[in-house]
Amino acid sequence: LITTLHTKRTELLPAVLGSTEETTTGVIRLRAMEKEGSLRIPVIAVNDAKSKNMFDNYYGTGESALHGILRATNVLLPGKNFVIIGYGHCGRGVAAFARGFGCHTIVCDVDPVAALQAHYDGHRVMTAGEAAATGDIFLTVTGCKDVLNAGHFKRMKDGAVLANAGHFNVEINIPELEGLAKRKRTVRPNVQEYELADGRRIYLLGEGRLVNLAAAEGHPSEVMDLSFSLQALAAEYIAKHKLEARVHRIPTDVDENVARLKLQALGIKIDALTDAQEKYLAGWSEGT
Amino acid sequence: LITTLHTKRTELLPAVLGSTEETTTGVIRLRAMEKEGSLRIPVIAVNDAKSKNMFDNYYGTGESALHGILRATNVLLPGKNFVIIGYGHCGRGVAAFARGFGCHTIVCDVDPVAALQAHYDGHRVMTAGEAAATGDIFLTVTGCKDVLNAGHFKRMKDGAVLANAGHFNVEINIPELEGLAKRKRTVRPNVQEYELADGRRIYLLGEGRLVNLAAAEGHPSEVMDLSFSLQALAAEYIAKHKLEARVHRIPTDVDENVARLKLQALGIKIDALTDAQEKYLAGWSEGT
Amino acid sequence: LITTLHTKRTELLPAVLGSTEETTTGVIRLRAMEKEGSLRIPVIAVNDAKSKNMFDNYYGTGESALHGILRATNVLLPGKNFVIIGYGHCGRGVAAFARGFGCHTIVCDVDPVAALQAHYDGHRVMTAGEAAATGDIFLTVTGCKDVLNAGHFKRMKDGAVLANAGHFNVEINIPELEGLAKRKRTVRPNVQEYELADGRRIYLLGEGRLVNLAAAEGHPSEVMDLSFSLQALAAEYIAKHKLEARVHRIPTDVDENVARLKLQALGIKIDALTDAQEKYLAGWSEGT
Amino acid sequence: LITTLHTKRTELLPAVLGSTEETTTGVIRLRAMEKEGSLRIPVIAVNDAKSKNMFDNYYGTGESALHGILRATNVLLPGKNFVIIGYGHCGRGVAAFARGFGCHTIVCDVDPVAALQAHYDGHRVMTAGEAAATGDIFLTVTGCKDVLNAGHFKRMKDGAVLANAGHFNVEINIPELEGLAKRKRTVRPNVQEYELADGRRIYLLGEGRLVNLAAAEGHPSEVMDLSFSLQALAAEYIAKHKLEARVHRIPTDVDENVARLKLQALGIKIDALTDAQEKYLAGWSEGT
């Protein structure tokens, strides 16, 4: 929508107060637009809210990506070498839940801090090239393109399963997979079998589109409610304030307010700081 | 040291190029100093580095706090109601590892986002007042004072164990515990038994000081090396640049460089983005 | 089949060499028949094989019951109070995986050893009556009848979800649920909403039949292969040996052979004892 | 004691009513004695009680072995390749808790069923020879001798740590380690460094004796109480019954009684079967 506004329907831009952006990839693109000076409306990056990325991305994608894989394949997860490519909020959720199911988790990431965290979280860390030869199930959650390509497909075991829960259907290079295959057939709904020249078979789920949407029902509404509340309150904030045409962080009090409302809905009570504690945290002279 | 410089030895300040700060509490205090206009040297907040707080705090405190509790008490962790007060990096590490040991974990936090995360991570969330009546073991990791006090001690079960892995020995209000006790004795090294008027006994570990230092050996050197490398490289950065007298974030490339060196030392290889991928991530026109 | 043979088609019994029994409940019933002197053919209790109950029951039911619940409801599992009634092989599998998903697990069992194990495994243990008021999702895996009944339904929260992965559709007392309901409707495939007189709604999955079969696809074939191999080899064993008309354990070497074949299929190599080690284990004079 | 009675003090045997045996290895040896006809007193195998081996062995050894390793070495467990040799009750406990700490767990066992279970539990399974080249920490929990020997030491990485939580100090072949070493020194209490000819260093904890006893304080008393209660009630049972001179299983009601008493001490209530349920479980005609 924002892209269309800035390319094909620029005459509408003056009437637009602003926008909010829900996804990691959307925010990356908006920042790219801002950087090159193309962005002409204010946008609040809802995705960067603490009440969003730790919840919708981690728990929502974590659960629904596994749900999609189970539903498409009915594989036995325990004991599988499960390769997670991308260890951001989404990847960390998937990796934690996959391990909770008895998977042998392997993580690949280009970010050294994320890779180190995965290592200490108990996942094996290696290049996607090494993982290609070991994995039973591969899930891309990167927001980048061409993450699994011909170089990887050539090293995979017969029966390898490929899925994407990142952004678009470009994370797995499907044209290259098609190029390597001598035959292709649908073996179950949302499961395409690609038979390579040497007889090995690779199974692509949901045509490489988001497996939680293609093969299951997407994130549960119970976690999307956090994100949608943030969207609604961010829209209200835009309407009430005059913001510059750039990408804005969501105000902290809006962010915390959403978490507070959700706790209330769940019937969970938490403590508040006392005045003495507030003062202690704001000071620097007390203590050893 | 920084406090002393700013209070008792101000004549030395002009000769100081800058400083680095390792701990969460230290950074909070420096920001308080900066806010009130007292800070007269540049300080790099090493604690805020991604290579620091996700590692030293989460894995280091997570492991060493449990190690300290085991060493002080030799209790059986499986099945214990383990109350973690504070769900920052340190608290999340302790909670994850305690659950890995079969503890029934309970989390208290004043921050609604942290509390909500704890809930979805599988920990029960409640006020410290409610937790007081349920817990077998209590660990404070807040950076705040007076987190457990007379109001809580009065509700605790006979045999409750109290420990602190936060900052100073003020997280547990020891004077109030002393005030309630009719008798006090050392039952094991680092274990003080407080007998209350009604006969209930509360056990305080390491006099309420950091239990990982008091009753074990602190963080393993293997995780402190990340923090110390950051300190060294931050000091070099201060020496090479002229920085303003305020709290500075650690430069991202220094941060990532430390993670990269550690991966190398561990023999772990990761992928790099291709040029096409870099370009894709920087753009906004490709994709659906 | 065995029941029919012993009741309606007894004329066929003389021609039957024997039988094998796959399920926990089936074996319990066969032992009941044996005890009362009714069993007239030999039966090998495949269910009691180590290669069966630790695998098919634990991993198979563990995964597929959660799969069924996800598929029927698309609920968010993290943070849910998930009540598992029955902590045998099936219940332990479900409980472990549910916790791996961030559920707050609660276990009920009438067996004190199982209940104690659940406690130390990190699950809260209580009576089903107590759990009724706390749970968000209830799963019966007991092999017994009337495990959840009107007494429990009356205490449940609005929105409680009920499923069964035990044996028949008698674990949840559906007639009593029907009796309490003033209205009933299908809200999603395999999800029946029962509205009680006071407006609370209880959701029954798959009409109380096995939720992994009703709402998903049952156990993955990858784990059933162990059970079916045991069945095949047990049938061969019956054909080659003349067995008495009672319930027989599966021979240990058949049991281990199946595990060995599966390891081979997975490409996993293990060590063998050396002669010296065999002798050591068979002796009692070496060592302190 | 039993060995001494049967070898050096046979004149005392007629006066002995019977005995109870606490450990896995002890029971194996007593069964070996029974098999060769040497056993001359009745012995109740307390180790085989459900209230013993699932608790003392799994949770007790699981926790205390890790405690011993932490205390001896202060290593960082997260991220370590932790090799568990032996996947019985003890090994499964250690493996589960080590993974809870973020270790990369590897399991070796000669029993195919145990090996397969380890695989599905999410641990990598391989021969000890393969694991030798990969492991950072090795723990033997087998009850067998010579489990790690020169063949393994030669393949280990510089810095490998060896510990035993199985039975005696014969699980690790220390004479062969001594034979390979050109130098040996104590680097910390309970940590012996063996320097091999090529400069690699191997660290042996607690001289290869049980690491939980050598370097920590053994099992917590809270879990030993189950075993000691079983011993006491088994002794009473021997005194009240005239038993044959062989290895006896502990009576089920004694076993369950201990679990029941422990639940009571923990304040945990469980349900009891109704008469209708008892009847249902004992029958075979009800249900589909």
Side-chain angles (χ1 to χ4, degrees):
Chain A
L1 186 60
I2 297 176
T3 302
T4 305
L5 266 179
H6 284 75
T7 50
K8 299 187 190 143
R9 301 297 302 274
T10 49
E11 78 280 10
L12 295 175
L13 278 167
V16 174
L17 284 179
S19 180
T20 63
E21 174 53 43
E22 170 77 16
T23 69
T24 310
T25 297
V27 170
I28 289 172
R29 286 163 172 243
L30 288 164
R31 293 232 160 86
M33 287 176 75
E34 179 184 338
K35 210 168 164 186
E36 70 170 45
S38 312
L39 187 66
R40 291 173 53 195
I41 57 170
V43 186
I44 292 186
V46 166
N47 182 71
D48 296 353
K50 291 184 294 176
S51 299
K52 161 68 168 69
N53 59 28
M54 261 317 301
F55 298 91
D56 177 346
N57 303 21
Y58 185 96
Y59 308 103
T61 304
E63 172 174 310
S64 64
L66 290 178
H67 181 186
I69 292 170
L70 282 175
R71 200 148 160 175
T73 64
N74 205 38
V75 292
L76 183 75
L77 287 177
K80 285 284 183 302
N81 287 325
F82 194 118
V83 180
I84 298 103
I85 308 185
Y87 203 65
H89 287 293
C90 295
R92 284 189 288 117
V94 176
F97 293 168
R99 191 170 46 185
F101 252 127
C103 290
H104 300 198
T105 44
I106 294 171
V107 168
C108 310
D109 200 304
V110 295
D111 174 349
V113 177
L116 194 56
Q117 187 179 351
H119 169 74
Y120 286 127
D121 280 344
H123 310 298
R124 282 200 286 160
V125 176
M126 53 184 81
T127 62
E130 284 178 86
T134 304
D136 297 307
I137 302 173
F138 297 80
L139 186 77
T140 54
V141 267
T142 66
C144 192
K145 74 168 182 181
D146 201 21
V147 170
L148 288 177
N149 56 42
H152 304 100
F153 305 144
K154 284 176 184 162
R155 304 189 63 185
M156 286 182 183
K157 295 193 285 193
D158 180 34
V161 171
L162 313 184
N164 168 38
H167 69 318
F168 306 134
N169 63 343
V170 299
E171 305 216 357
I172 300 167
N173 192 322
I174 299 170
E176 291 191 4
L177 182 56
E178 300 265 355
L180 288 175
K182 68 172 183 197
R183 228 189 321 265
K184 168 179 154 186
R185 63 185 183 117
T186 300
V187 291
R188 284 168 59 104
N190 291 308
V191 184
Q192 291 280 317
E193 180 187 85
Y194 289 85
E195 191 180 335
L196 309 191
D198 61 3
R200 279 178 303 122
R201 289 153 301 178
I202 291 178
Y203 296 93
L204 178 67
L205 307 190
E207 301 178 330
R209 297 193 174 272
L210 295 177
V211 72
N212 45 2
L213 290 168
E217 302 180 46
H219 293 189
S221 56
E222 294 168 278
V223 75
M224 292 309 293
D225 60 358
L226 288 168
S227 302
F228 294 152
S229 303
L230 286 163
Q231 298 260 38
L233 296 175
E236 183 191 41
Y237 188 88
I238 290 170
K240 289 192 174 163
H241 297 79
K242 185 146 185 62
L243 300 177
E244 284 175 73
R246 58 173 180 83
V247 179
H248 297 265
R249 290 193 63 84
I250 196 152
T252 301
D253 58 337
V254 171
D255 198 353
E256 293 192 349
N257 192 26
V258 168
R260 217 173 276 284
L261 289 167
K262 182 73 179 186
L263 285 172
Q264 204 176 306
L266 289 164
I268 296 171
K269 292 204 180 72
I270 62 172
D271 293 300
L273 292 173
T274 63
D275 291 344
Q277 288 176 326
E278 295 265 21
K279 196 167 154 238
Y280 179 78
L281 290 175
W284 56 278
S285 45
E286 209 174 335
T288 45
Chain B
L1 185 61
I2 296 175
T3 303
T4 305
L5 266 179
H6 284 75
T7 50
K8 299 188 190 141
R9 301 297 301 275
T10 49
E11 77 281 9
L12 295 175
L13 278 167
V16 175
L17 284 178
S19 180
T20 64
E21 175 53 43
E22 170 77 16
T23 69
T24 310
T25 297
V27 171
I28 289 172
R29 287 165 172 242
L30 288 165
R31 293 231 159 86
M33 288 176 74
E34 179 184 339
K35 207 167 165 188
E36 70 169 45
S38 311
L39 187 65
R40 292 173 53 194
I41 56 171
V43 186
I44 292 187
V46 165
N47 183 72
D48 296 352
K50 292 185 293 176
S51 299
K52 161 63 167 77
N53 60 28
M54 261 317 300
F55 297 91
D56 176 345
N57 303 21
Y58 186 95
Y59 308 103
T61 304
E63 171 174 311
S64 64
L66 290 178
H67 181 186
I69 291 170
L70 282 175
R71 198 148 162 174
T73 63
N74 204 38
V75 291
L76 184 74
L77 289 177
K80 285 285 182 302
N81 287 325
F82 194 118
V83 180
I84 297 103
I85 308 184
Y87 203 64
H89 288 292
C90 294
R92 285 189 287 119
V94 175
F97 293 168
R99 191 170 47 184
F101 252 127
C103 290
H104 301 197
T105 44
I106 294 170
V107 167
C108 310
D109 201 305
V110 294
D111 174 348
V113 177
L116 195 56
Q117 186 179 353
H119 169 74
Y120 287 127
D121 280 343
H123 311 296
R124 282 199 288 159
V125 176
M126 53 184 80
T127 62
E130 284 177 85
T134 305
D136 298 307
I137 302 174
F138 297 81
L139 185 76
T140 54
V141 266
T142 65
C144 192
K145 75 169 183 181
D146 202 21
V147 171
L148 288 177
N149 56 43
H152 303 101
F153 306 143
K154 284 175 183 161
R155 303 189 63 186
M156 286 182 183
K157 295 193 286 193
D158 181 34
V161 171
L162 313 185
N164 168 39
H167 68 319
F168 305 134
N169 63 343
V170 299
E171 304 216 358
I172 299 167
N173 192 322
I174 300 170
E176 292 191 6
L177 182 56
E178 301 263 356
L180 288 175
K182 69 174 183 197
R183 230 189 320 266
K184 168 178 155 186
R185 64 185 182 118
T186 302
V187 292
R188 284 169 59 105
N190 291 309
V191 185
Q192 291 279 317
E193 178 187 86
Y194 289 84
E195 190 180 336
L196 307 192
D198 61 4
R200 279 178 303 122
R201 289 153 301 178
I202 291 178
Y203 296 93
L204 178 67
L205 307 191
E207 300 178 330
R209 298 192 172 273
L210 296 176
V211 71
N212 45 3
L213 289 167
E217 302 179 47
H219 293 189
S221 56
E222 294 168 277
V223 75
M224 292 308 295
D225 60 358
L226 288 168
S227 303
F228 293 152
S229 302
L230 286 162
Q231 298 261 37
L233 296 176
E236 184 190 38
Y237 188 88
I238 290 171
K240 289 190 175 165
H241 297 78
K242 185 141 185 69
L243 300 176
E244 283 176 76
R246 58 173 179 83
V247 180
H248 298 263
R249 289 193 64 85
I250 198 152
T252 301
D253 58 337
V254 171
D255 199 351
E256 293 191 349
N257 192 25
V258 168
R260 218 172 275 285
L261 289 167
K262 182 73 179 186
L263 285 173
Q264 203 175 307
L266 289 164
I268 296 171
K269 292 203 180 73
I270 62 173
D271 293 300
L273 291 173
T274 62
D275 290 345
Q277 287 176 326
E278 294 266 20
K279 195 166 155 242
Y280 179 79
L281 290 175
W284 57 280
S285 46
E286 210 174 334
T288 46
Chain C
L1 186 60
I2 296 175
T3 302
T4 305
L5 264 180
H6 283 74
T7 50
K8 298 188 191 142
R9 300 297 301 273
T10 49
E11 77 281 9
L12 295 174
L13 278 167
V16 175
L17 283 178
S19 179
T20 64
E21 174 53 43
E22 170 78 15
T23 68
T24 310
T25 296
V27 170
I28 289 172
R29 286 165 171 241
L30 288 165
R31 292 231 161 86
M33 287 176 76
E34 179 185 338
K35 209 170 164 184
E36 70 170 45
S38 312
L39 187 66
R40 290 174 54 193
I41 56 170
V43 185
I44 292 187
V46 165
N47 183 71
D48 296 353
K50 291 185 294 176
S51 299
K52 162 66 167 72
N53 60 28
M54 262 318 301
F55 297 91
D56 177 345
N57 303 21
Y58 186 96
Y59 307 104
T61 304
E63 171 174 310
S64 63
L66 290 178
H67 181 186
I69 292 169
L70 283 174
R71 199 148 160 175
T73 64
N74 205 38
V75 292
L76 184 74
L77 287 177
K80 285 284 183 303
N81 288 325
F82 195 118
V83 181
I84 298 104
I85 309 185
Y87 202 63
H89 287 292
C90 295
R92 285 189 286 121
V94 175
F97 293 168
R99 192 171 45 186
F101 252 126
C103 289
H104 300 197
T105 45
I106 294 172
V107 168
C108 310
D109 201 305
V110 294
D111 174 350
V113 177
L116 195 56
Q117 187 180 351
H119 169 73
Y120 287 127
D121 280 344
H123 310 298
R124 281 200 289 159
V125 176
M126 54 183 78
T127 61
E130 284 177 85
T134 306
D136 297 307
I137 302 173
F138 297 80
L139 186 76
T140 54
V141 267
T142 66
C144 193
K145 74 168 183 181
D146 201 22
V147 170
L148 288 177
N149 56 44
H152 304 100
F153 305 143
K154 284 175 184 162
R155 306 188 63 185
M156 287 181 183
K157 296 193 284 193
D158 181 33
V161 171
L162 313 185
N164 168 39
H167 68 319
F168 306 133
N169 63 342
V170 298
E171 304 215 356
I172 300 167
N173 192 322
I174 299 170
E176 292 191 4
L177 182 56
E178 300 264 356
L180 290 175
K182 68 174 183 196
R183 228 189 321 266
K184 169 178 154 185
R185 62 184 183 119
T186 301
V187 292
R188 283 168 58 104
N190 292 309
V191 184
Q192 291 279 317
E193 179 187 85
Y194 288 85
E195 190 180 335
L196 307 191
D198 61 3
R200 280 178 302 122
R201 289 152 302 177
I202 291 178
Y203 296 93
L204 178 67
L205 307 190
E207 300 178 331
R209 299 193 172 272
L210 295 177
V211 71
N212 45 3
L213 290 167
E217 302 179 46
H219 294 190
S221 57
E222 295 168 278
V223 75
M224 292 309 293
D225 60 358
L226 288 169
S227 303
F228 294 153
S229 303
L230 285 163
Q231 299 259 37
L233 295 176
E236 183 191 41
Y237 188 87
I238 289 171
K240 288 193 175 164
H241 296 77
K242 184 145 185 63
L243 300 177
E244 284 175 73
R246 57 174 180 83
V247 179
H248 297 264
R249 290 193 65 82
I250 198 153
T252 302
D253 57 337
V254 171
D255 198 353
E256 293 191 348
N257 192 26
V258 168
R260 219 173 274 283
L261 289 166
K262 183 73 179 186
L263 285 173
Q264 205 176 305
L266 289 164
I268 296 171
K269 291 204 180 74
I270 63 172
D271 292 300
L273 292 173
T274 63
D275 291 344
Q277 287 176 325
E278 293 266 20
K279 195 166 154 238
Y280 179 78
L281 289 175
W284 55 279
S285 46
E286 209 174 334
T288 46
Chain D
L1 184 60
I2 296 175
T3 302
T4 305
L5 265 179
H6 283 75
T7 49
K8 299 189 190 142
R9 301 299 301 274
T10 49
E11 77 281 8
L12 294 175
L13 279 167
V16 175
L17 284 178
S19 180
T20 64
E21 174 52 45
E22 170 77 15
T23 68
T24 311
T25 297
V27 171
I28 289 172
R29 288 168 170 240
L30 288 164
R31 292 231 161 85
M33 287 177 75
E34 179 184 338
K35 209 169 165 187
E36 71 169 45
S38 311
L39 187 65
R40 291 173 53 193
I41 56 171
V43 185
I44 292 185
V46 166
N47 183 72
D48 295 353
K50 291 185 293 177
S51 299
K52 161 65 166 76
N53 59 27
M54 263 316 302
F55 298 92
D56 176 347
N57 303 22
Y58 186 95
Y59 307 104
T61 304
E63 170 174 312
S64 64
L66 290 179
H67 181 186
I69 291 169
L70 282 175
R71 199 149 162 174
T73 63
N74 206 38
V75 292
L76 183 75
L77 287 177
K80 285 285 183 304
N81 287 325
F82 194 117
V83 181
I84 298 104
I85 308 185
Y87 203 64
H89 287 292
C90 295
R92 285 189 287 120
V94 175
F97 293 168
R99 190 171 47 184
F101 252 127
C103 290
H104 300 197
T105 45
I106 295 171
V107 168
C108 310
D109 201 304
V110 294
D111 174 349
V113 177
L116 194 56
Q117 187 179 351
H119 169 74
Y120 287 127
D121 280 344
H123 311 296
R124 281 199 289 160
V125 176
M126 53 183 81
T127 62
E130 285 178 85
T134 305
D136 296 309
I137 302 173
F138 296 80
L139 186 76
T140 54
V141 267
T142 65
C144 192
K145 74 168 184 182
D146 202 22
V147 171
L148 287 177
N149 57 42
H152 305 100
F153 306 143
K154 284 176 184 160
R155 304 188 62 185
M156 287 181 182
K157 296 193 284 193
D158 181 34
V161 171
L162 313 185
N164 169 39
H167 69 317
F168 306 134
N169 63 342
V170 298
E171 304 216 358
I172 299 167
N173 193 322
I174 300 169
E176 291 191 5
L177 182 56
E178 301 265 355
L180 289 176
K182 70 174 182 195
R183 229 189 319 266
K184 168 178 154 186
R185 64 184 183 117
T186 301
V187 292
R188 283 169 59 104
N190 291 309
V191 185
Q192 291 279 319
E193 179 187 85
Y194 289 85
E195 190 180 336
L196 307 191
D198 61 4
R200 279 178 303 122
R201 289 153 302 178
I202 291 178
Y203 296 93
L204 178 67
L205 306 191
E207 300 176 331
R209 298 194 172 272
L210 296 176
V211 71
N212 46 3
L213 290 167
E217 302 179 46
H219 294 189
S221 57
E222 294 168 278
V223 75
M224 292 308 294
D225 61 358
L226 288 169
S227 303
F228 294 153
S229 302
L230 285 163
Q231 298 261 36
L233 295 176
E236 184 191 40
Y237 188 88
I238 290 171
K240 288 191 176 166
H241 296 77
K242 184 141 186 70
L243 301 177
E244 284 175 74
R246 58 176 181 81
V247 179
H248 298 264
R249 288 192 66 84
I250 198 153
T252 301
D253 58 337
V254 171
D255 198 352
E256 293 191 350
N257 192 27
V258 168
R260 218 172 275 283
L261 289 166
K262 183 73 180 188
L263 285 173
Q264 205 176 305
L266 289 165
I268 296 171
K269 290 203 180 72
I270 63 172
D271 292 299
L273 292 172
T274 63
D275 291 344
Q277 288 176 325
E278 293 267 20
K279 196 168 154 236
Y280 179 77
L281 290 176
W284 56 278
S285 46
E286 211 174 334
T288 46

